[in-house]
Amino acid sequence: MTDFFAGIEPVRFDPEAPADALAYRHYDPDEMVGGKRLEDQLRFAVAWWHSFAWPGGDPFGGQTFERPWFEDTIEAAKLKADVAFEMFGILGQPFYCFHDADIRPEGANFSESQRNFEEIVDYLGEKMQSAKTKLLWGTANLFSHRRFMAGAATNPDPDVFAYSAATVKSCIDATHKLGGQNYVLWGGREGYETLLNTDLARERQQAGRFLQMVVDYKHKIGFDGTILIEPKPQEPTKHQYDYDVGTVYSFLKDFGLEGEVKMNIEQGHAILAGHSFEHELALASALGILGSIDMNRNDYQSGWDTDQFPNNVPEVALAYYEILKMGGFTTGGTNFDAKLRRQSLDPMDLVAAHVGAMDICARGIKAAAAMLEDGGLETARAERYSGWDGAAAQEMLKSGTLDSIAERVVSQDINPRPQSGRQEILENYVSRFV
Ligand code: XUL
Ligand code: CO
């Protein structure tokens, strides 16, 4: 036991807890919601990087957090793992996620980094034997080290492509070994700062080949988790190739991977792309590629990826509505890719942030389940499109031609009568649940 969380007890569901007590007031893991236990429906995960590796910097200042494991040594990495699993014990959430660089010290070369990584992966494996926490996904950090400054798979230098391929291989191996349920690729620097020095067509080809290699390797080693791409339009690069769900889908089609790869959709990234979270979820669901979510929001004033814990029930409810509508998560879950504000120095801040976020998600998904069960939105949608249920409309869609349709418009004097979209009525409806 470390003393990092000294005095903080495991958090329990207690809707009657005193106002200043740390408790889940809405998240009861055993409550049945939408036909499943809430824990199995939400599938919460803690992100290693923000919670245990991030030092609290911003563009104007460096580290604000002082953590006893902030050293690049194996001993410190093990201490960090001890503290992480202590927090998992306090929160009781079922999953966690990591990048290679979050958990191991960087070595002098690839082989040394790999040895460090393997040692810590084994350490995590041992800890997981006595903890209930499982691995939702692993991923490779191909964006922090300076070698990746011009991209990983899309780098102009083939040696960086090779180094990245070796790194991803080792991260898939580790994810497989730890029983991870997904493997995520977020192309943090797979994009460009300026087109003046960029061969966009070539970089896109490299990214496609890289992803084909990832999928081939997954099958080769028998990893049956889901490969997920996490779209983001920009930051850190000015333009990122995995811009949004629609862009990534056309990329997958281009490289024959649409049946192999799904999406990990992050709330804040959707907003950066000029969409709502529910738009990205609804589109991915319609395309059959909705896999998992990163449930962290941006500050709407700063317009940047501030990775804040969720705190807005109506937003969260509309997101879970799309997830429940598709039948819920399979291998995916709700990862808090969220960091504290840099003044939130105390261990208690870290625990309270997750507890609050889990409660917000519980409220959101319960509202979503109630809306889905009530069926008001689906009935309204069905009514709005009911004209398409008729045989003539279906026939037109299937085998109509512009000239045959034009003939019918004239012969039947088709003269459309505009109908109300009933937006305010539907907004009032949603407000009753959230
Ligand atoms: C960055 C981001 C990443 C990915 C994993 O914006 O979301 O943390 O989730 O690499
Ligand atoms: Co993310």
Side-chain angles (χ1 to χ4, degrees):
M1 267 307 262
T2 75
D3 60 1
F4 189 71
F5 292 113
I8 305 181
E9 295 297 319
V11 182
R12 308 266 176 242
F13 171 63
D14 181 3
E16 310 300 329
D20 58 351
L22 194 65
Y24 295 121
R25 291 150 208 280
H26 303 273
Y27 176 59
D28 172 5
D30 293 319
E31 182 178 345
M32 294 298 287
V33 174
K36 276 190 209 162
R37 290 175 64 247
L38 204 43
E39 182 177 66
D40 303 330
Q41 199 71 274
L42 289 162
R43 294 167 60 85
F44 287 130
V46 166
W48 205 281
W49 50 103
H50 287 319
S51 289
F52 309 112
W54 183 62
D58 72 9
F60 295 89
Q63 176 176 347
T64 56
F65 300 150
E66 288 175 338
R67 309 295 198 215
W69 57 87
F70 277 178
E71 256 174 57
D72 224 14
T73 63
I74 284 283
E75 292 66 38
K78 288 185 176 169
L79 173 61
K80 180 162 53 172
D82 293 344
V83 168
F85 274 82
E86 283 167 15
M87 189 170 90
F88 303 162
I90 291 170
L91 295 175
Q93 96 290 351
F95 293 104
Y96 72 102
C97 303
F98 68 81
H99 302 81
D100 52 349
D102 309 330
I103 64 166
R104 57 103 179 102
E106 180 82 28
N109 59 12
F110 181 82
S111 301
E112 196 180 309
S113 289
Q114 177 65 15
R115 276 195 299 280
N116 292 345
F117 188 47
E118 282 171 6
E119 183 168 348
I120 300 296
V121 166
D122 287 345
Y123 193 69
L124 298 187
E126 278 163 35
K127 295 188 110 25
M128 286 167 74
Q129 286 185 355
S130 54
K132 78 164 218 183
T133 327
K134 299 197 280 282
L135 181 62
L136 185 65
W137 45 264
T139 187
N141 180 329
L142 302 177
F143 45 90
S144 294
H145 194 280
R146 64 193 291 274
R147 76 174 68 86
F148 301 118
M149 69 181 188
T154 61
N155 204 288
D157 178 355
D159 283 353
V160 181
F161 183 100
Y163 199 102
S164 306
T167 304
V168 168
K169 175 200 174 292
S170 103
C171 289
I172 298 177
D173 287 342
T175 302
H176 188 36
K177 190 170 188 182
L178 293 173
Q181 305 203 2
N182 308 270
Y183 183 82
V184 165
L185 295 123
W186 171 61
R189 297 199 188 269
E190 308 294 28
Y192 59 79
E193 299 297 339
T194 170
L195 268 180
L196 296 177
N197 65 9
T198 302
D199 184 337
L200 191 144
R202 190 193 276 271
E203 292 201 0
R204 197 169 175 280
Q205 248 350 83
Q206 289 173 211
R209 271 302 291 138
F210 194 90
L211 192 57
Q212 286 169 340
M213 290 178 201
V214 168
V215 169
D216 287 347
Y217 188 67
K218 163 199 154 145
H219 291 304
K220 186 171 176 186
I221 63 168
F223 172 59
D224 60 5
T226 311
I227 302 290
L228 299 170
I229 288 195
E230 185 175 321
K232 187 174 184 184
Q234 71 266 330
E235 195 217 14
T237 54
K238 173 186 158 62
H239 176 91
Q240 275 158 225
Y241 299 130
D242 298 339
Y243 199 93
D244 60 3
V245 169
T247 311
V248 173
Y249 188 67
S250 71
F251 176 85
L252 293 179
K253 286 284 243 191
D254 205 2
F255 291 92
L257 296 170
E258 69 275 17
E260 295 279 359
V261 177
K262 292 188 171 179
M263 300 289 122
N264 180 42
I265 302 174
E266 178 165 322
Q267 202 265 7
H269 297 180
I271 307 294
L272 280 181
H275 304 302
S276 64
F277 194 22
E278 59 271 22
H279 164 92
E280 288 289 81
L281 295 169
L283 180 58
S285 173
L287 297 170
I289 53 169
L290 174 48
S292 200
I293 60 172
D294 275 7
M295 182 57 100
N296 40 282
R297 62 187 290 268
N298 291 352
D299 181 302
Y300 293 119
Q301 268 169 286
S302 77
W304 207 232
D305 186 13
T306 52
D307 284 334
Q308 289 171 239
F309 285 89
N311 58 9
N312 183 323
V313 176
E315 269 179 8
V316 166
L318 293 179
Y320 282 118
Y321 187 85
E322 297 301 331
I323 286 158
L324 291 178
K325 208 173 105 182
M326 91 166 174
F329 293 121
T330 51
T331 61
T334 302
N335 174 42
F336 296 118
D337 186 358
K339 55 181 178 251
L340 294 170
R341 299 308 86 196
R342 69 197 292 267
Q343 297 177 56
S344 303
L345 303 178
D346 299 340
M348 179 55 107
D349 293 319
L350 193 53
V351 174
H354 284 91
V355 171
M358 286 158 81
D359 259 351
I360 291 283
C361 291
R363 287 173 65 187
I365 201 168
K366 285 189 231 183
M371 262 194 296
L372 206 54
E373 200 186 331
D374 182 76
L377 286 182
E378 298 319 309
T379 306
R381 272 192 200 130
E383 261 170 37
R384 188 160 185 244
Y385 292 87
S386 59
W388 282 101
D389 296 338
Q394 283 304 310
E395 186 55 30
M396 169 173 73
L397 203 55
K398 210 170 119 221
S399 42
T401 61
L402 286 189
D403 48 349
S404 69
I405 294 171
E407 217 170 88
R408 199 163 60 85
V409 168
V410 174
S411 66
Q412 296 179 6
D413 191 18
I414 289 177
N415 196 2
R417 270 177 306 133
Q419 309 264 340
S420 170
R422 304 174 68 221
Q423 179 167 340
E424 293 77 6
I425 291 170
L426 294 173
E427 285 168 351
N428 295 351
Y429 171 81
V430 170
S431 297
R432 278 176 33 212
F433 293 88
V434 297

